[in-house]
Amino acid sequence: MTTSAAQPTGRGLAGARAHTRGRDRRLDAVREKVERGERLTLEDGDLLYTTPDIWSVCELAATVRNRLHGAPGAGGIAYYNINRHLNYSNVCALSCKFCEFYRKKDEPGAYTRDMAYVREEVRKAVEAGATEIHSVGGLHPYLPWSYYPELVSTIRDEAKRLGSDLHVKAFTAVEVVHLARIAKVYRGANDASDEGRAARREGIRWVLSELKKAGLGSLPGGGAEVFDDRVHDEAFKGKIRSDVWLDVHREAHALGLNTNATILYGHIEQRRERLVHMQMLRDAQDEALSEVARHSVPGASPPHAAVSAGTECRPTKGRFQTIIPLPFFPDGSDLEHLPGPTGLENLRTLAIARLMLDNFAHVKAFWIMQTLPMAQLMLQCGADDIDGTVVWYDITKVPQGAKDAPTHQEVNVWTLQKAIRDAGFEPVERDTLYRRVFRDDKDPRAWRAA
Ligand code: V47
């Protein structure tokens, strides 16, 4: 790569190549790999994390991002969606140190939504033209198994009644295992043998297929935290470990459900542990994509069906769609004494996720947690998606809503589009599966995905 400043402007970090001062020559080998499309190692990741030359890290991530989704000012696109979060309950049997969301059953502020509430939320979502409901909750100790398929079918049926094909993205891997336990199909929990794992996976498969029959469309990426046993035991003991989290996603993929992945960073983990987490996700995606390629049937492939499986085939197996780096918010959690990650650490981690996860089609800068101005900058440093209108977000509370409604964090579509345009990209509305959404000019609530 040259360092000439005589490049066209308006193409963002990767195209302008204006960054010449303080350039870290140790990154040259990584740069060559990125330009050849070669896979990066953990040692490459260490260097990307420790170099003071953060702009080169961003520039490299932008190179990958722009290769997949186009460069700013040159037809490059970035995604947003119109969605709503619906947390069905914040009652949780666990007490994870990093979590400020959970409540015990009789604690002030504890809630569990009934189906009348759910139907009302669906009505509001359809009225707002939403294409997705993102629904997660705590591990409720007393709700029966039947509540969960009912939740999914209620959302789908109510939306259909109102003329909308609303997608239900629901239940993190941790919740799926909890549901398998309460449905009494989770066997072999303490059995480390292959048979134990097969028994656990059978229970997970049963739960997922029942939820799919009820209308579940995909799994969100939550609950992954950091795939490391030390960090797990210290900060979220009681949650499933990485092997089980990955097995839930494997089972979802086998059933044809796409899933997302997250990494929660900036608490008690080391940077190397973040890189190992990314490497484990990359390996799991390799597996998923080879199954996608093996089982696809002839037919048009959806856009960005898979980074490496660009055949004219319709996938019948699922895969990871996007990685969502989540910065840790200490306030209100048992780890309140920690400072949380800084802005540059957020930028760097997102850029490194783009570089390490070469087989993920998308990187999401979740604006609710990153803030909108930061998400905009992230579009120039590896991200291609800023998520959606969201409306209510209970998991972390960034004080930017109305005074008496601290979890109200709505932006309108125009604001999301403007943020994307100002970052140099063409805003594209997507549905949950990253298909383009088209709206009826006369009735913008009506939509179809293509
Ligand atoms: O799993 C909990 C994290 C996640 C805190 O799939 C915290 O499209 C920061 O997974 N500080 C839930 N993070 C959110 C999530 C998500 C969000 C947006 C889109 C998608 C998707 C998924 O939030 C939890 C946990 O990792 N979290 N507490 C905290 N104090």
Side-chain angles (χ1 to χ4, degrees):
M1 179 188 276
T2 70
T3 54
S4 159
Q7 296 282 334
T9 53
R11 291 214 173 180
L13 280 170
R17 297 182 184 179
H19 162 63
T20 51
R21 291 173 65 198
R23 200 162 178 141
D24 185 350
R25 306 302 329 181
R26 293 176 307 159
L27 286 171
D28 286 353
V30 179
R31 184 171 286 110
E32 277 166 29
K33 280 189 182 179
V34 169
E35 286 182 350
R36 285 199 299 263
E38 261 176 50
R39 184 153 276 193
L40 301 187
T41 61
L42 290 177
E43 291 69 32
D44 294 329
D46 289 336
L47 180 57
L48 291 164
Y49 257 126
T50 49
T51 175
D53 181 8
I54 186 158
W55 294 118
S56 284
V57 177
C58 289
E59 182 191 340
L60 291 174
T63 302
V64 176
R65 180 248 184 268
N66 295 348
R67 197 184 286 151
L68 289 167
H69 307 288
I77 60 171
Y79 295 98
Y80 69 94
N81 69 343
I82 300 185
N83 62 348
R84 278 194 170 233
H85 283 240
L86 193 167
N87 298 122
Y88 55 85
S89 176
N90 61 355
V91 176
C92 189
L94 302 182
S95 313
C96 297
K97 281 188 183 168
F98 65 82
C99 182
E100 52 162 312
F101 169 68
Y102 77 85
R103 295 287 180 280
K104 294 300 159 195
K105 190 171 160 286
D106 298 315
E107 236 183 278
Y111 63 80
T112 301
R113 308 303 188 196
D114 61 18
M115 294 307 141
Y117 179 96
V118 170
R119 272 190 286 274
E120 180 56 16
E121 286 303 296
V122 171
R123 192 193 58 70
K124 286 189 221 157
V126 172
E127 187 63 27
T131 58
E132 164 189 289
I133 289 269
H134 177 149
S135 188
V136 293
L139 307 189
H140 199 295
Y142 307 117
L143 276 178
W145 150 250
S146 58
Y147 176 90
Y148 300 90
E150 191 187 351
L151 173 73
V152 176
S153 59
T154 300
I155 299 173
R156 288 285 293 166
D157 293 349
E158 185 65 4
K160 266 194 213 136
R161 198 179 66 76
L162 299 167
S164 169
D165 189 22
L166 199 61
H167 180 106
V168 182
K169 178 177 76 177
F171 311 121
T172 64
V174 189
E175 290 162 87
V176 171
V177 170
H178 176 67
L179 301 194
R181 286 184 201 276
I182 59 175
K184 303 207 178 346
V185 293
Y186 198 64
R187 298 191 185 90
N190 300 315
D191 180 352
S193 69
D194 287 352
E195 290 74 30
R197 182 181 178 210
R200 288 192 292 278
R201 286 185 66 156
E202 201 181 315
I204 291 166
R205 195 175 317 136
W206 184 84
V207 163
L208 288 172
S209 58
E210 291 301 305
L211 293 171
K212 190 180 172 199
K213 274 189 234 160
L216 182 71
S218 62
L219 294 192
E225 323 313 1
V226 177
F227 293 158
D228 179 85
D229 290 349
R230 175 193 71 82
V231 180
H232 173 278
D233 292 354
E234 214 175 311
F236 38 95
K237 203 174 172 69
K239 271 196 168 177
I240 54 173
R241 281 192 165 163
S242 54
D243 52 343
V244 181
W245 190 96
L246 288 166
D247 273 350
V248 171
H249 284 254
R250 284 188 187 104
E251 289 299 337
H253 297 160
L255 288 170
L257 296 170
N258 285 348
T259 71
N260 295 340
T262 54
I263 174 169
L264 175 70
Y265 64 90
H267 43 94
I268 59 160
E269 87 295 356
Q270 308 286 317
R271 283 161 153 184
R272 186 35 111 88
E273 288 156 352
R274 295 180 207 166
L275 292 167
V276 170
H277 181 104
M278 293 177 198
Q279 188 183 46
M280 287 167 78
L281 286 174
R282 187 170 74 183
D283 291 347
Q285 178 76 324
D286 277 347
E287 264 177 58
L289 292 181
S290 72
E291 288 300 294
V292 166
R294 227 157 57 81
H295 291 273
S296 290
V297 295
S301 55
H304 309 299
V307 173
S308 58
T311 52
E312 284 303 305
C313 281
R314 190 164 50 80
T316 60
K317 298 288 170 190
R319 64 192 180 279
F320 289 108
Q321 305 189 113
T322 179
I323 172 75
I324 310 146
L326 299 173
F328 171 57
F329 279 81
D331 289 359
S333 77
D334 286 359
L335 300 175
E336 208 165 28
H337 57 283
L338 297 178
T342 61
L344 282 185
E345 190 68 6
N346 291 340
L347 205 55
R348 195 192 286 266
T349 299
L350 182 121
I352 293 175
R354 178 60 285 170
L355 288 163
M356 295 297 290
L357 292 166
D358 53 14
N359 53 6
F360 274 56
H362 304 283
V363 174
K364 188 189 285 189
F366 184 42
W367 73 264
I368 291 274
M369 290 204 198
Q370 302 283 8
T371 74
L372 198 52
M374 195 69 179
Q376 203 180 22
L377 191 55
M378 285 172 170
L379 290 175
Q380 290 260 341
C381 300
D384 59 279
D385 182 13
I386 58 174
D387 203 75
T389 43
V390 180
V391 186
W392 294 93
Y393 196 70
D394 289 356
I395 313 275
T396 52
K397 294 170 186 61
V398 186
Q400 51 194 345
K403 201 161 152 264
D404 56 348
T407 65
H408 186 248
Q409 297 185 59
E410 184 170 9
V411 291
N412 60 30
V413 173
W414 183 86
T415 306
L416 293 178
Q417 289 175 341
K418 180 168 175 0
I420 292 173
R421 277 211 184 90
D422 285 357
F425 296 98
E426 184 55 29
V428 170
E429 186 187 345
R430 63 162 178 88
D431 71 353
T432 311
L433 304 176
Y434 285 86
R435 297 174 300 193
R436 253 175 211 259
V437 167
F438 295 94
R439 288 192 182 266
D440 185 338
D441 284 346
K442 292 198 192 84
D443 178 9
R445 285 168 311 174
W447 58 275
R448 71 183 168 82

